């Protein structure tokens, strides 16, 4: 069976299961791989091997650790303290609430590598305030959705871990490769927010006082010190060679538990209660981890279909023979990833495309770390690009806005993301400078 036939058959079966029969993506991928093994005549032992060897890795322990740490940070009050600090710093700017939303999402990414956690937490805090100040509900939904993936571009990042382990790259290097792109995205959003919403908020005509401003910033900094200390410990430990990314996940959980318990004690003394108890946090983290593990296992078996049937090698030969240079190939990669991101979630896209395209990427002389940054940027933009656009619809739901209007408001954010991604694509230094 030819390589193109294998790919087309895989896509048709996967689409039938995932889109038409509504089978969850992980199981649709596993079912498709199993059917393809039977059709092509591959040994079933390789399918089972893919399931087993995927999780037989110490590095994958980083995923449940960071998922749990993100849940603890989400409900321990850290996000609120970060928002108050950023508001104290940037609150006098025009369209300041939009700017605070962008910067808070960027900062929250340092605590948790989940776009949905970033959206739910920052959106839950900022959308009601933006609504009071006259922001359109559809703009609020689009802004929160566009800012959500800043949480996966700024480390620690679960998708970054997945790409690193799928490609054989170091997790710490993959994380660093998206720091500058994430800051570029945020800068573009800040400029657009300032221009488009400059007349939205009505500022009080209170004379600026440097002493009052400095005192407020210092006060909020003191209250946020515990939140700010965590990334210093985690990244100082990783990049200082004290512990690995997996061990950093365990340290994150320990720190999060201590912070949560101290917050709980203070709440009890004041007669209050936490937004969520430890049991729901652990339960939700376990469910998320189980979903990710299923996706990892079945994606590896699907990858074996492309490897053992010769698709990856055939694709590599085709690309080398038909693309004159790596610049046209990079443009093709951007188009492929952007389209793929509109139909399939971020993690699935990484696990499917990395083993398929990595041989071609290496044959074209492209750094795998740079390739990872391009992939992560494009697939994240896809999460706010119709028709599926899961993050965008969730943002519209959070803001109680019309989905069509929210999509219209999201178009400028998509364009900013595409421009930033093209810069990352053709200026590799933006992804490799920190490595």
């Amino acid at each position: 069976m030819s390589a193109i036939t294998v790919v087309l058959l895989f896509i048709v079966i996967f689409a039938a299961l995932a889109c038409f029969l509504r089978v969850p993506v992980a199981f649709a991928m596993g079912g498709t791989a199993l059917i393809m093994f039977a059709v092509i005549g591959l040994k079933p032992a390789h399918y089972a091997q893919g399931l087993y060897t995927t999780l037989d890795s110490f590095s994958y322990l980083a995923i449940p650790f960071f998922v749990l740490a993100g849940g603890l940070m989400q409900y321990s009050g850290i996000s609120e303290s970060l928002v108050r600090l950023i508001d104290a710093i940037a609150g006098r700017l025009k369209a300041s609430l939009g700017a605070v939303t962008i910067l808070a999402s960027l900062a929250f990414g340092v605590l948790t590598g989940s776009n949905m956690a970033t959206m739910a937490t920052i959106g839950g805090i900022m959308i009601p305030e933006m609504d009071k100040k006259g922001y359109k509900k559809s703009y609020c939904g689009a802004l929160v959705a566009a800012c959500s993936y800043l949480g996966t571009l700024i480390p620690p990042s679960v998708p970054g871990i997945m790409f690193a382990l799928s490609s054989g790259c170091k997790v710490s290097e993959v994380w660093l490769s998206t720091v500058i792109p994430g800051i570029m995205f945020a800068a573009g959003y800040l400029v657009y927010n300032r221009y488009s919403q400059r007349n939205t908020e009505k500022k009080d005509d209170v004379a600026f006082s440097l002493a009052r401003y400095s005192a407020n910033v210092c006060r909020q900094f003191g209250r946020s010190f515990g939140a700010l200390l965590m990334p210093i410990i985690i990244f100082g430990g990783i990049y200082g060679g004290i512990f690995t990314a997996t061990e950093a996940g365990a340290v994150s959980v320990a720190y999060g538990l201590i912070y949560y318990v101290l917050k709980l004690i203070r709440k009890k003394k004041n007669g209050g209660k936490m937004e969520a108890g430890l049991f729901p946090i652990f339960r939700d983290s376990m469910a998320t981890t189980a979903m990710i593990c299923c996706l990892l296992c079945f994606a590896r078996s699907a990858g074996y279909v492309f490897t053992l049937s010769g698709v990856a090698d055939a694709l590599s030969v085709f690309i080398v023979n038909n693309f004159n240079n790596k610049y046209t190939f990079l443009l093709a990669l951007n188009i492929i990833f952007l389209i793929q991101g509109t139909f399939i979630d971020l993690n699935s896209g990484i696990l499917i495309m990395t083993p398929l395209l990595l041989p071609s990427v290496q044959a074209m002389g492209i750094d795998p770390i740079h390739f990872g940054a391009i992939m992560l940027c494009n697939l994240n933009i896809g999460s706010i690009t119709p028709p599926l656009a899961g993050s965008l619809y969730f943002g519209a739901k959070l803001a109680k806005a019309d989905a069509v209007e929210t999509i219209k408001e999201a178009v400028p954010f998509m364009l900013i993301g595409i421009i930033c991604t093209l810069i990352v694509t053709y200026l590799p230094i933006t992804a490799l400078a920190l490595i």
Side-chain angles (χ1 to χ4, degrees):
M1 187 179 295
S2 66
I4 188 64
T5 303
V6 172
V7 173
L8 291 176
L9 187 58
F10 186 96
I11 292 173
V12 169
I13 297 173
F14 178 76
L17 292 175
C19 300
F20 298 106
L21 299 181
R22 300 282 185 173
V23 177
V25 170
F27 297 107
M29 195 178 300
T32 303
L34 189 59
I35 293 171
M36 292 299 295
F37 264 77
V39 171
I40 300 174
L42 301 174
K43 294 181 180 180
H46 289 301
Y47 184 88
Q49 182 183 6
L51 299 179
Y52 175 77
T53 57
T54 299
L55 297 182
D56 186 27
S57 171
F58 177 76
S59 298
Y60 273 129
L61 283 174
I63 293 175
F65 281 138
F66 279 114
V67 169
L68 177 56
L72 291 168
M73 298 303 163
Q74 183 177 352
Y75 295 108
S76 63
I78 283 182
S79 55
E80 293 181 16
S81 63
L82 286 175
V83 169
R84 285 196 296 267
L85 174 61
I86 293 170
D87 184 56
I89 296 171
R92 290 189 59 85
L93 298 175
K94 288 186 177 181
S96 63
L97 287 179
V100 169
T101 301
I102 297 165
L103 295 173
S105 299
L106 195 70
F108 197 67
V110 180
L111 303 178
T112 175
S114 167
N115 59 347
M116 288 301 174
T118 301
M119 191 187 311
T121 304
I122 303 303
I125 296 171
M126 296 305 302
I127 286 177
E129 297 301 319
M130 294 172 70
D131 188 36
K132 291 176 186 177
K133 292 293 184 178
Y135 285 81
K136 292 171 60 177
K137 291 182 182 293
S138 54
Y139 179 82
C140 294
L143 177 64
V144 169
C147 292
S148 67
Y149 52 74
L150 297 178
T152 58
L153 293 177
I154 302 300
S157 165
V158 172
I161 295 173
M162 290 187 171
F163 174 80
L165 298 178
S166 298
S167 62
C169 298
K170 291 180 63 176
V171 174
S172 58
E173 292 183 351
V174 175
W175 280 353
L176 287 176
S177 72
T178 56
V179 171
I180 294 177
I183 294 172
M184 289 167 53
F185 275 66
Y189 293 166
L190 286 169
V191 172
Y192 174 70
N193 175 76
R194 171 69 172 76
Y195 172 78
S196 65
Q197 306 298 314
R198 60 188 181 276
N199 297 321
T200 300
E201 295 182 47
K202 302 299 181 183
K203 295 294 180 183
D204 298 327
D205 294 327
V206 178
F208 175 76
S209 169
L210 180 60
R212 186 168 56 245
Y213 174 84
S214 301
N216 186 36
V217 171
C218 291
R219 183 169 57 253
Q220 295 302 335
F221 181 84
R223 293 174 179 175
S224 306
F225 182 75
L228 298 173
L229 188 61
M230 179 195 169
I232 295 174
I233 294 173
I234 300 306
F235 295 110
I238 293 175
Y239 298 109
I242 300 173
F243 41 69
T244 65
T246 302
E247 292 163 346
V251 174
S252 298
V253 171
Y255 187 91
L257 281 171
I258 294 171
Y259 196 98
Y260 182 93
V261 171
L262 292 176
K263 181 77 172 182
L264 178 63
I265 293 172
R266 289 196 297 271
K267 286 276 188 179
K268 290 290 185 181
K269 285 183 177 180
N270 298 326
K273 62 179 182 179
M274 300 295 285
E275 185 178 346
L278 282 176
F279 178 76
I281 293 174
F282 276 86
R283 180 196 60 205
D284 293 345
S285 299
M286 289 171 61
T288 302
T289 300
M291 177 188 68
I292 293 174
C293 287
C294 288
L295 187 58
L296 287 169
C297 291
F298 291 129
R300 176 62 64 87
S301 294
Y304 278 8
V305 170
F306 297 124
T307 301
L308 297 175
S309 63
V311 171
D313 292 336
L315 181 61
S316 179
V317 172
F318 173 82
I319 289 172
V320 171
N321 291 337
N322 290 275
F323 283 89
N324 295 326
N325 55 66
K326 69 178 182 180
Y327 300 105
T328 55
F329 174 59
L330 286 170
L331 180 62
L333 282 182
N334 278 276
I335 296 171
I336 291 170
F337 291 146
L338 189 59
I339 294 174
Q340 182 191 16
T342 67
F343 291 95
I344 195 168
D345 71 276
L346 175 63
N347 294 328
S348 300
I350 292 170
L351 295 171
I352 291 173
M353 299 304 292
T354 300
L356 183 61
L357 288 172
L358 191 59
S360 303
V361 168
Q362 293 172 326
M364 295 294 292
I366 299 169
D367 192 310
I369 299 293
H370 183 211
F371 167 66
I374 295 170
M375 176 185 284
L376 289 168
C377 288
N378 274 292
L379 293 180
N380 274 309
I381 297 170
S383 69
I384 62 168
T385 306
L388 295 186
S391 294
L392 195 57
Y393 296 134
F394 184 46
K397 184 177 180 181
L398 280 176
K400 299 178 181 178
D402 179 73
V404 175
E405 290 299 318
T406 304
I407 290 172
K408 292 178 182 178
E409 293 284 357
V411 171
F413 295 107
M414 298 176 203
L415 296 176
I416 291 169
I418 291 172
I419 292 170
C420 291
T421 302
L422 288 174
I423 294 173
V424 173
T425 300
Y426 290 107
L427 290 176
I429 190 66
T430 55
L432 305 176
L434 300 180
I435 297 174

